[in-house]
Amino acid sequence: MTITNFGFVIDNRRCIGCHACTVACKTEHDDPIGVNKTWVKYIEKGEFPNTNRNFSVMRCNHCDDSPCTDVCPVTALWEREDGIVDFDPERCIGCKACMQGCPYDALYIDPETSTAAKCNYCSHRVDTGREPACVTVCPEDAIIAGDVENPDTEIAETISKQEVQARKPEKGTDPTLFYVNGDEGSTTPGTTAREDHYMWSDAPNRVETRGAAREEFDIRRAAESLANSDVDLGRSDEARSDGGCACGGECGGECRCDDRVASDGGTAATSAAGRADEHRSGGSDERENSRTERAYELLHEEARRVYDIGESHYTSWGWEVYSYTWTKSIAAGVFMLPALFTLAGLVEPNATTIGVASLVSLVFLGLTTLLLVLDLEQPTRFHWVLLRPNWNSWLVKGGYILTATGGFLTLVAGSWLLGVETLVTNPVTLGVGAVLAAATAVYTAFLFSQSKGRDLWQSPTMPLHMFTQAVVAGASVTGLLGLAGVAGFDAFVGLSRLTLAAGLVVHLLIIASEIFTPHQTEDAEEAAARITRGRFSRAFWLGGVLVGIALPLVALAVSASPAVVAVGGVLALAGLFAFEYCWITAPQTISLA
């Protein structure tokens, strides 16, 4: 059977950086301003005058083993039989998991549809026998598209005769986007120096380069030029002060009509033309000065960035996600620990204790679900995770785990409220609950492992760490319930103290193994450095380590009183939240493109 596998070759020897491919792509797909399926990256090397500039076209790599299709929970992304990784916005729920899974930063959220989007190889054109729009428009034939498996095609011949490079082959994604004369600075983002300002980055920043006097002179000249144009500068005394609106006031006082009536009874257009004649003839100096001052004011107003081919995908998983991992740890731990303590015979079976634990767990599980829904760009489609599942995605598996855990907790809490205590304290009930709670705590580790774009999340200790965080959170909350005098939890104070101390020690050891040991990739190393020495260092050291680990351990060592155990629990929960913030956010600040 003949296998078709479409791919791209970008010949960097020919690319002139004209952006025709970007424009053609946006036109073909009617993409909004500010986002791009295809863009051109500029890399400059050397010192003037001995410099050179390299161009690289960046886009989806249409991987043979695409991580975005695996992590997508609703099969909005899929691999076609011809190798094209296609996308259906009508199925997308906007979870942004694909953006975390892609090592190439090829996906983004469309601001108009609130769904993910990316290059789909112009599959609608391919299906009718045409080439992608970027290939057709390239003036230098620098983009070659075709079947890489067919030796008679130009792309296959180019790959066989030229030395080609692919981006991040170590990820095991088998990309089908290749570069001839691929520059290391383009294919490996970490090798390029990152400065505060670079070409196209300074639109919202006015960089002082020529002195204040010269700049003031230039702005004044620009203001005079603007004042002498026909542009409406928005002055209330220009064309509207004495005149009215041709619509008869139906616009509500803020005129939007094209034929506004000027003060002399004419329209704004004719008034503007007359105004230009006045300027050219030297008349109306006062009015001209007024327009010049207005233009000067406008030019001094703060600029607003409206278009930037920059790294806008940072922190696509924001506060909702690191809050959700925190609430999920509490939901899992607060039921798991009482169940395990009871099964181990460390405490007597107590239906009230298990019932209250199930209610508290259910509340935090509800918060977890709410945060997950809030993080979606299409929250009304959240149920598609269960009804249109892609079973390769750990988002789907996690969704079913949360649903099963929620149903189980509802059954236990309901049984306790109805007085069916034998069911609540039954060893089978406790065992099933402990397993579901552990699964709730751990499944996120496997979701993070599917996020191949974030190297620090690929730690093999992640499942153990998620479980340990649930233990810390559970011990903290049970200690607080013991101090509050909730029936049965007073017996947990001593166990909570020991469990919390042990959990914090293990938590610290795992942090050391994940952050302070050598990492396999530069991206992971850089993310760890940003946590320990960069912008996240204060939250990590003060919040995650000092408040969240050191102080609770000191408090637990000093006293075993319920109040001290409760204080240690509050500190541990605060530190756990600070750590989650650093761990979730820092890797997302690493450039993928």
Side-chain angles (χ1 to χ4, degrees), residues 156-204:
E157 182 178 354
T158 301
I159 293 174
S160 64
K161 292 183 177 180
Q162 302 290 339
E163 181 178 354
V164 296
Q165 297 80 35
R167 294 174 60 200
K168 301 182 180 180
E170 71 277 2
K171 291 293 183 180
T173 59
D174 294 330
T176 53
L177 171 62
F178 304 97
Y179 295 90
V180 176
N181 199 28
D183 180 77
E184 179 71 9
S186 299
T187 58
T188 309
T191 62
T192 306
R194 306 193 58 75
E195 300 177 353
D196 292 337
H197 302 293
Y198 52 93
M199 189 167 63
W200 310 122
S201 76
D202 295 327

Side-chain angles (χ1 to χ4, degrees), residues 208-243:
E208 301 290 345
T209 57
R210 294 180 298 165
R214 177 65 184 177
E215 182 176 299
E216 179 67 20
F217 176 75
D218 288 347
I219 292 178
R220 178 62 65 176
R221 289 188 61 187
E224 292 173 356
S225 176
L226 183 59
N228 283 300
S229 71
D230 292 343
V231 175
D232 184 359
L233 302 182
R235 269 289 191 198
S236 60
D237 58 353
E238 293 284 327
R240 278 194 308 236
S241 58
D242 300 323

Side-chain angles (χ1 to χ4, degrees), residues 534-556:
R535 56 177 281 199
F536 302 95
S537 59
R538 179 173 298 180
F540 174 72
W541 289 111
L542 294 182
V545 177
L546 178 62
V547 173
I549 299 177
L551 293 181
L553 285 176
V554 171
L556 296 173

Side-chain angles (χ1 to χ4, degrees), residues 243-267:
C245 174
C247 67
E250 295 180 1
C251 59
E254 185 176 354
C255 186
R256 292 289 187 269
C257 302
D258 291 334
D259 54 346
R260 294 186 302 273
V261 179
S263 58
D264 59 358
T267 64

Side-chain angles (χ1 to χ4, degrees), residues 2 12 26 45 112 121 128 204 213 217 240 267 286-287 296 315 338 382 385 409 455 462 465 474 477 494 508 533 592:
T2 303
N12 285 353
K26 291 179 73 68
K45 294 183 178 181
E112 293 184 351
Y121 207 90
T128 58
F217 176 75
R240 278 194 308 236
T267 64
E286 182 178 351
R287 190 168 190 174
Y296 183 80
T315 61
F382 75 94
V385 173
L409 292 173
D455 289 2
M462 279 285 284
H465 203 175
V477 175
L508 179 61
R533 303 189 300 275
L592 300 179

Side-chain angles (χ1 to χ4, degrees), residues 67-367:
C68 61
T69 60
D70 287 337
V71 77
C72 177
V74 291
T75 325
L77 288 152
W78 73 97
E79 295 178 16
R80 300 187 356 160
E81 292 183 357
D82 56 11
I84 296 174
V85 178
D86 212 338
F87 177 75
D88 182 3
E90 297 299 322
R91 293 186 67 94
C92 179
I93 64 175
C95 66
K96 303 179 285 288
C98 56
M99 297 169 64
Q100 306 293 357
C102 177
Y104 310 108
D105 201 20
L107 291 111
Y108 61 87
I109 294 295
D110 189 303
E112 293 184 351
T113 64
S114 295
T115 60
K118 71 170 196 69
C119 160
N120 70 339
Y121 207 90
C122 286
S123 57
H124 59 290
R125 293 172 61 95
V126 172
D127 290 342
T128 58
R130 295 180 294 168
E131 291 183 318
C134 60
V135 178
T136 303
V137 78
C138 180
E140 299 295 323
D141 292 327
I143 306 176
I144 306 171
D147 182 6
V148 298
E149 301 294 338
N150 184 350
D152 297 328
T153 60
E154 181 184 3
I155 187 171
E157 182 178 354
T158 301
I159 293 174
S160 64
K161 292 183 177 180
Q162 302 290 339
E163 181 178 354
V164 296
Q165 297 80 35
R167 294 174 60 200
K168 301 182 180 180
E170 71 277 2
K171 291 293 183 180
T173 59
D174 294 330
T176 53
L177 171 62
F178 304 97
Y179 295 90
V180 176
N181 199 28
D183 180 77
E184 179 71 9
S186 299
T187 58
T188 309
T191 62
T192 306
R194 306 193 58 75
E195 300 177 353
D196 292 337
H197 302 293
Y198 52 93
M199 189 167 63
W200 310 122
S201 76
D202 295 327
N205 305 299
R206 189 155 57 88
V207 182
E208 301 290 345
T209 57
R210 294 180 298 165
R214 177 65 184 177
E215 182 176 299
E216 179 67 20
F217 176 75
D218 288 347
I219 292 178
R220 178 62 65 176
R221 289 188 61 187
E224 292 173 356
S225 176
L226 183 59
N228 283 300
S229 71
D230 292 343
V231 175
D232 184 359
L233 302 182
R235 269 289 191 198
S236 60
D237 58 353
E238 293 284 327
R240 278 194 308 236
S241 58
D242 300 323
C245 174
C247 67
E250 295 180 1
C251 59
E254 185 176 354
C255 186
R256 292 289 187 269
C257 302
D258 291 334
D259 54 346
R260 294 186 302 273
V261 179
S263 58
D264 59 358
T267 64
T270 58
S271 177
R275 191 164 56 239
D277 290 338
E278 283 185 332
H279 293 320
R280 284 190 292 269
S281 64
S284 188
D285 291 340
E286 182 178 351
R287 190 168 190 174
E288 181 175 348
N289 290 336
S290 176
R291 280 182 57 82
T292 301
E293 291 305 315
R294 176 57 179 159
Y296 183 80
E297 292 174 7
L298 289 173
L299 291 175
H300 269 83
E301 289 181 358
E302 184 177 354
R304 179 169 61 90
R305 178 166 53 181
V306 295
Y307 186 77
D308 184 14
I309 311 179
E311 293 135 351
S312 58
H313 306 168
Y314 289 168
T315 61
S316 54
W317 280 352
W319 69 269
E320 298 94 341
V321 174
Y322 57 78
S323 299
Y324 127 77
T325 57
W326 185 73
T327 57
K328 183 169 65 68
S329 294
I330 297 174
V334 75
F335 186 88
M336 180 174 65
L337 289 187
L340 292 177
F341 290 159
T342 304
L343 287 172
L346 299 176
V347 295
E348 292 295 325
N350 188 317
T352 301
T353 301
I354 301 301
V356 171
S358 64
L359 282 176
V360 175
S361 179
L362 197 57
V363 169
F364 279 95
L365 196 69
L367 289 174

